[in-house]
Amino acid sequence: MIKNLLLILTILAFLSCGNESDEMIYKTKNGEFASQPGNFIADFPTKPNYSTIDNQIGLDKFQIHLFRSTLGSKKIFSVEYSNYPEHMIKSMTDEQIYSQGVANFSNKMAEAFKLDFQKPIKQHGLNGQYFVLNLKQNAIEKGIKGHIQGKLFRKGNRVYTITYIGQNDKNIDPFMESFRLIK
C-alpha cells in the first residue's frame, strides 16, 4: 500500500513538473520552431533548448531568454530576447539600441573575434542591424575556425538578438533569414 502510494506520488510529481522548454518553444507544421511567449518563429536546425539568465542594469532587473540549437559543439544557432524596462529603452532610438547591442556583443567576444562589418537591414517587416565578426589572427593561429553572424531587432521594449557562431553550414542562411515575429 505504501509502495503504491509512493509510486503514485512520484508519477504525479513528474507529471506536474512539466517541461519548461516545451512550454516555451514548439515545432510548427512546416518544421520551424515558434515561441508564443517570445512571439517569434525561426528555422532552427534542431529543437532548441530554452534557458533564462537574470540580468540587472543599475536597479533594474530583467531576464534574458535564450533559445539555443546546436549541430555538434562547433555550430550554435541562437535567438535571445530581453524585455527592457520601458523607461530605459524608450529614450533610445533603434539605431542607438542596435549600435550598443553590436558593441556589447563584440566586446563580449573580443578575445577571439573582431567586428568585420555591420549594416541596417529589413527582414519580414522588421528593421534591424546585421553584423559579422571574424576571427582574430591569434585565434586562427590556435587552430580555431569559424565566424559569427548576428541580427538585432527591436519591437517595443523587447530586443531580439539572432546569432550563429561556428563554421560554415548549410543551415545558417535558412535560420538567419527565417526569423520573424508571430503576427
Side-chain angles (χ1 to χ4, degrees):
M1 173 81 168
I2 292 178
K3 286 183 181 180
N4 287 341
L5 183 58
L6 286 175
L7 179 62
I8 291 170
L9 289 175
T10 303
I11 291 170
L12 287 174
F14 280 116
L15 292 175
S16 68
C17 289
N19 186 338
E20 185 176 14
S21 183
D22 288 342
E23 294 170 10
M24 293 300 292
I25 193 91
Y26 60 92
K27 195 168 194 172
T28 65
K29 290 178 184 175
N30 67 357
E32 295 176 307
F33 291 90
S35 172
Q36 282 298 130
N39 193 38
F40 72 86
I41 298 171
D43 190 11
F44 288 94
T46 61
K47 184 176 182 181
N49 292 318
Y50 169 74
S51 61
T52 58
I53 298 172
D54 291 326
N55 201 4
Q56 185 169 347
I57 297 176
L59 298 175
D60 296 309
K61 296 179 182 182
F62 56 94
Q63 289 187 319
I64 300 171
H65 300 268
L66 301 161
F67 299 84
R68 287 213 170 110
S69 170
T70 61
L71 292 175
S73 61
K74 297 182 181 172
K75 298 176 183 180
I76 304 167
F77 302 79
S78 68
V79 172
E80 69 178 60
Y81 70 87
S82 295
N83 295 317
Y84 290 94
E86 193 170 318
H87 69 88
M88 277 178 63
I89 203 160
K90 76 177 183 179
S91 63
M92 297 176 73
T93 66
D94 289 354
E95 291 74 23
Q96 289 171 320
I97 289 168
Y98 300 149
S99 177
Q100 186 65 46
V102 171
N104 289 346
F105 193 90
S106 297
N107 289 337
K108 199 168 45 170
M109 305 305 282
E111 187 174 322
F113 292 91
K114 66 181 181 303
L115 180 63
D116 191 26
F117 74 90
Q118 60 182 327
K119 68 178 184 178
I121 57 166
K122 188 165 186 137
Q123 179 169 308
H124 300 286
L126 291 169
N127 293 319
Q129 188 79 14
Y130 174 71
F131 61 94
V132 174
L133 284 77
N134 283 311
L135 287 166
K136 290 183 173 179
Q137 188 60 38
N138 64 332
I140 294 169
E141 290 169 0
K142 292 178 183 175
I144 298 173
K145 296 179 182 176
H147 70 286
I148 298 172
Q149 291 184 40
K151 294 182 178 181
L152 292 167
F153 299 103
R154 173 189 187 180
K155 182 68 174 177
N157 69 328
R158 181 174 284 181
V159 177
Y160 294 92
T161 305
I162 298 83
T163 56
Y164 171 75
I165 301 173
Q167 299 177 14
N168 285 335
D169 187 272
K170 65 180 181 176
N171 295 292
I172 299 170
D173 288 342
F175 169 71
M176 295 296 288
E177 293 170 9
S178 69
F179 178 84
R180 62 198 180 277
L181 297 181
I182 298 172
K183 304 231 185 257

